[in-house]
Amino acid sequence: MMVFVDRNSELVKRVEREVGISAYCADYFTYSLSILRPVLMTASNPLWTFGGGIDAGFSEHFPFYVGHKQEKQGENERMGNICFCITVGIDLVATKGLVRDALSFALDQTTDDETLLVHGAGTGIGGLSHDDFISVLKTVLKAQRDEINTKPIQMIEDSLGDVGFEADYD
C-alpha cells in the first residue's frame, strides 16, 4: 500500500484527485507514527549529504541510519524501514528519471503488509514541477499494477513447466 504525505496542500490535493491514492497534508515523520508498518523514503543527492528538505528531517530523526548511509555511500538501498533514494543529481536538480527510479525502488522494497509513505520527492529543493511529479507517480503506479496483473499468469506458466506432450497436427 502507498500513502502520500506532504506539507504542500496544493500537491496533496492534486495527488488525491489525479492519482487516486490516499493523500494527507501533514508532517511526514509525525504521520509515520500513526502507521503500523511504515516504510519511509528519502529524497537524496548522490553524495548523501542530508543537508536540506525532507532529508534534513531524516538526519534529525534517524541519525544512526543516516550516518551509516553517509559512510557506506552507494546507490538506492533499504535499511530497516527506510529506503534511501536518490532523487536529485549532484547539482541538486531533480529529474523525472531519478524520481521515477526512486519511487519504483521504494515500491519494490515494500512488502504487502507494509505501507510506503511517499512525499513530493524532488518537488522542493530539486525543482521538479508538480505536473512532472504527478506524471511520474502515475507511471510508476501503472507499471506496478501491470506487473501485479501479469504475475498470476507467469506463476501458472511456471507451475505447469513442461507438461510433456506436443500437438501432432498430421
Side-chain angles (χ1 to χ4, degrees):
M1 175 198 269
M2 175 192 285
V3 174
F4 184 82
V5 183
D6 201 285
R7 287 185 177 167
N8 184 317
S9 61
E10 177 190 329
L11 184 56
V12 169
K13 289 175 189 171
R14 287 193 61 191
V15 166
E16 189 166 46
R17 183 177 63 245
E18 297 175 36
V19 181
I21 63 173
S22 297
Y24 300 94
C25 188
D27 176 76
Y28 186 77
F29 300 101
T30 302
Y31 186 85
S32 73
L33 298 174
S34 69
I35 301 297
L36 185 58
R37 297 202 56 199
V39 175
L40 309 179
M41 174 186 159
T42 69
S44 303
N45 64 62
L47 299 177
W48 306 104
T49 57
F50 297 92
I54 198 155
D55 272 12
F58 276 94
S59 188
E60 177 186 337
H61 295 289
F62 302 100
F64 174 78
Y65 286 108
V66 166
H68 185 69
K69 185 60 183 173
Q70 287 175 320
E71 288 174 19
K72 189 175 179 187
Q73 295 289 305
E75 298 298 318
N76 293 342
E77 172 182 25
R78 179 171 173 171
M79 277 191 250
N81 71 325
I82 301 172
C83 289
F84 289 89
C85 297
I86 297 170
T87 58
V88 298
I90 292 179
D91 58 359
L92 303 183
V93 174
T95 66
K96 289 170 63 172
L98 286 172
V99 173
R100 181 197 63 236
D101 291 349
L103 289 168
S104 294
F105 174 81
L107 265 173
D108 288 346
Q109 295 295 310
T110 303
T111 63
D112 291 341
D113 63 335
E114 297 175 319
T115 301
L116 175 61
L117 300 182
V118 175
H119 47 75
T123 62
I125 292 171
L128 190 69
S129 74
H130 291 177
D131 289 339
D132 284 346
F133 177 80
I134 288 170
S135 170
V136 167
L137 185 55
K138 284 180 176 179
T139 298
V140 167
L141 288 172
K142 181 184 180 317
Q144 182 198 36
R145 279 191 294 272
D146 290 349
E147 181 180 323
I148 288 170
N149 290 336
T150 60
K151 276 186 181 178
I153 295 167
Q154 186 62 47
M155 288 171 61
I156 291 169
E157 289 173 352
D158 291 346
S159 69
L160 290 175
D162 184 6
V163 293
F165 78 92
E166 293 181 26
D168 185 5
Y169 296 106
D170 290 335

